[in-house]
Amino acid sequence: MTIDNSRRDFLLRSCSSLTAVWLSAHWPALLSAASHARNAAQSSASTKLEFFTPDQAKEIDAITARIIPTDETPGAHEAGVVYFIDRALMTFAVDDQKTYREGFPEMQVHTRELFPALDKFSAASPEQQDQILHSFDEHATGGRRRPRAAARGFFDTVRLHTIVAFLLDPDAGGDPNGVGWKVIGREREHMFQPPFGYYDKNYPGWQPPSPSDKAKS
Amino acid sequence: MTPEQPKYKTSDEVDFVVVGSGAAGGIIAKELSENGFRVVVLEQGPYLTEADFTHNEIKILNEDLLTNHPKLQPNTFRKTPNETAKPQRALVYGRLVGGTSVHFTANFWRLHEIDFVERTKIGPVAGTGFTDWPITYADLEPYYTKVEWEIGVSGLAGASPFDPPRSKPYPMPPLPTKASGVIFEQAARKLGWNPFPAPMAILSQPRPGRSACINCGFCLAFGCEVGAKSSSLASAIRMAEKTGRCEIRPNSYVHRIELDANSRATGAVYFDAQRNVHLQKAKAVVISANGAETPRLLLLSANKQFPNGLANSSGLVGKYLMLNSAAVSVGVFEQPLNDYKGFAVSRVLHDFYEMDPQKVGFYGGGGIDARFDITPIGFAMGGLPPGTPTWGKEFKHTLAHNFTRTMELMSHGTSLSLESNSFSLDPELKDAWGLPALRMTYKDHPDDLKLATYLNARALEILDAAGAQNKWSFPIEEQQFAVHLLGTCRMGNDPKTSVINSDHRTHDVKNLFLCDGSSLVTSGRGQPTMTIEALAFRAADRIRDLAKRGEINA
């Protein structure tokens, strides 16, 4: 099975160095710029809004809660993702303010088109919200993804910001409660001893191949 | 920046100026200063230390804290020389004291004997610059051993039946075996192959001033905050500084090598952090700026004597670029591997290192390793199986289930050298200092893609034998992004077909030496840094001998 063309954005052009290559090559400009990330990180416990109005924050919170929903484990809402994005837009992601400003009315249009009785995204039911977001999301509708170099749309930007906020190292600027890392099973420590997982638990260490191994070759 | 460092004046003619402080530059600076020479290292990037290294994925990966910056240093790309190149980020390298060795994976394979003499053994490959090295494995062996012992490499001698001869065992045992390594080893043995503990330039035992690996899990792309990764920063640079004869001068962007009327280099011209221009005078110059920036600096240094670029009478400066072919397959298993803990790679196999082109139908060979090298955000963006939704309940569920259960198999192999693959100066685009930007021209030889496909098929067989619940591969396509920067100022005996001789001296300028990935004649099988460092130890010996005999400026 190979990855279909619509996901080529995520591929390594050269596979020679996985994370570094594809993140540096494919991360959008939206998170680039400035040396303020550290400041943002240090204030990550704050819940004071700097960019969003309270109403806007409610809408963004509702969107992030559909990107990483709350189920048996906490989601973007519990991780306070909206506050991270708010700070990001005042610091290292200041270039994305425009995308958000233009995104609010766009979101309202999408909401009204699908559900004329509704005024706000946050007023819709979770199922309705998913429908509205699908109308933004080219992957999910099977459409062709726009070239990466082009400006990233509102929903793609919120999606990326949500993932970054949820999974950034809690001790290096991410959610101080480490909700995202708990969800994916990444222990918060930065120092580990083997065995690391299930398969290396009783591993005796490297041994020369046994004669029976050799017979197979 | 230690108190032992001297502070040389730019007008003070030091013995050597070394351009670049990475894998090669660090070692050359160490060796020459330990031999009594006065050395200035000019590094374009900042001097960061362990205290500056963070696990913040935004800063490291997106803001390019450790690497060349696409806004300051844009570049262009095209596939073939008859196209107009377009702006497109096409390469990444470490831009700080220690260079790319600060953030590398630290796979430290030696080349094998075959790599130096393969052209003679299998014959020519039509349309390529495939040729033998002017030196052999035996010439380099003592220096591989030096790298292992002085810089710090962990591994297990004799574990691979394909290993070339060695004069000493590794100085320290292999790193722990990750779950991915255990899975890989058991499955590969079922298939009759010979997996072995990965030789890694990461300490399994502490050394003075350096910790053993603490398995933090932020390794590839990140700087090591405990000095366990054997970067030039953590090893050679510190040793050079201890001599009291070597000055490391960061934020110094060299953009011209100055020549006198007799075609002798007189020093290096650079911008400091405030963009003031200086000339550091020196009796001889060593360029170790990497396989992209070394040829660029030679081309930028064109003058009346060398209108096509310094030391470029062959016309080959920047040409024969090789990136190493590569492929990645991914497997998901029933139980947690927790492979995010630790360094990237713990097992490798070299059963396909040397293959007969008559039998397989293409030239090439390589190795396959078991690894996990993606940090959490990267994993969420690119580590999930194809077809997984990119948001919502199923996205979250798959992310939460797979993060601890995923491993990668990475295949690494040869690239054939093609004259049309190159780094050159872009005729239009400029960097932030107003200098012509790098232009990369690259199109894989069809055999490189056949090799990657072949190795990847073996990797998928391993995942099958291991009982992976789900597996997939990234498509194998022509590369447009460079990490390994090899072959662009190749070594050879004939000044018409090479840029440097086997002493790393340019054929055209007697007191100008080049040593880094650009020196390689063939690509090896995918892990070049060990060889770059062995070449650097050897080059330093040759340069020292020439200097002591008074022959550098003779």
Side-chain angles (χ1 to χ4, degrees), chain A residues 138-216:
Chain A
E138 289 158 319
H139 307 284
T141 54
R144 281 187 50 193
R145 189 176 168 77
R146 75 171 71 81
R148 192 193 62 82
R152 200 166 275 253
F154 173 64
F155 179 60
D156 262 0
T157 303
V158 180
R159 185 179 81 82
L160 186 70
H161 279 170
T162 303
I163 289 168
V164 168
F166 197 67
L167 294 177
L168 190 64
D169 180 354
D171 297 313
D175 161 39
N177 297 317
V179 167
W181 278 27
K182 276 181 210 150
V183 167
I184 65 167
R186 208 286 181 196
E187 289 171 45
R188 189 156 172 174
E189 288 72 26
H190 287 273
M191 198 167 164
F192 299 104
Q193 286 300 314
F196 301 130
Y198 175 86
Y199 299 94
D200 55 328
K201 232 177 242 168
N202 299 309
Y203 179 72
W206 189 89
Q207 307 289 330
S210 65
S212 63
D213 282 324
K214 283 202 168 155
K216 291 174 207 153

Side-chain angles (χ1 to χ4, degrees), chain A residues 1-4 7-8 10-25 27-38 41 66-75 84 92 95 129-131 133-134 137 139-140 152 155 159-160 163-169 172-174 181 183-201 203 205-210 213-214 216-217, chain B residues 52 54-59 61-64 71 89 92 156 158-159 176-179 182-183 185-186 189-197 214-218 220-221 225 323-324 326-328 333-338 340-343 347 371 373-382 384-388 390-393 395-397 399-400 403-404 408 410 470-475 477-484:
Chain A
M1 177 162 57
T2 55
I3 293 181
D4 60 277
R7 278 175 61 92
R8 280 199 180 186
F10 297 134
L11 304 185
L12 302 174
R13 283 294 173 195
S14 143
C15 301
S16 304
S17 166
L18 206 45
T19 309
V21 171
W22 79 255
L23 268 185
S24 347
W27 202 292
L30 62 92
L31 279 180
S32 70
S35 56
H36 301 302
R38 190 162 288 173
R66 296 318 302 156
I67 292 167
I68 303 179
T70 308
D71 43 24
E72 60 276 17
T73 58
F84 180 96
F92 61 91
D95 290 351
Q129 290 180 339
D130 284 356
Q131 276 188 53
L133 294 180
H134 276 300
D137 182 25
H139 307 284
R152 200 166 275 253
F155 179 60
R159 185 179 81 82
L160 186 70
I163 289 168
V164 168
F166 197 67
L167 294 177
L168 190 64
D169 180 354
W181 278 27
V183 167
I184 65 167
R186 208 286 181 196
E187 289 171 45
R188 189 156 172 174
E189 288 72 26
H190 287 273
M191 198 167 164
F192 299 104
Q193 286 300 314
F196 301 130
Y198 175 86
Y199 299 94
D200 55 328
K201 232 177 242 168
Y203 179 72
W206 189 89
Q207 307 289 330
S210 65
D213 282 324
K214 283 202 168 155
K216 291 174 207 153
S217 56
Chain B
D52 300 305
T54 157
H55 292 176
N56 184 321
E57 285 180 78
I58 298 175
K59 282 199 94 62
L61 298 172
N62 187 55
E63 295 184 2
D64 296 284
K71 278 188 181 162
R89 188 170 196 187
V92 65
L156 183 62
T177 309
K178 299 175 71 173
V182 174
I183 290 170
E185 180 175 300
Q186 290 171 348
R189 282 190 172 171
K190 272 192 215 165
L191 296 164
W193 300 334
N194 295 275
F196 63 95
I214 59 168
N215 301 305
C216 75
F218 282 78
L220 170 56
E225 71 264 38
L323 304 184
N324 288 126
V328 175
F333 289 83
E334 186 183 359
Q335 300 290 337
L337 282 67
N338 296 329
Y340 67 84
K341 299 179 182 180
F343 47 94
R347 284 293 179 276
R371 64 168 59 198
D373 56 11
I374 320 182
T375 38
I377 297 169
F379 187 81
M381 296 298 294
L384 299 182
T388 308
T390 56
W391 59 275
K393 196 176 161 111
F395 164 71
K396 182 189 175 192
H397 176 80
L399 175 64
F403 181 70
T404 55
E408 302 154 67
M410 186 158 177
N470 190 5
K471 66 176 194 299
W472 67 94
S473 302
F474 289 91
E477 5 177 73
E478 288 175 346
Q479 301 185 82
Q480 297 187 22
F481 195 84
V483 179
H484 297 171

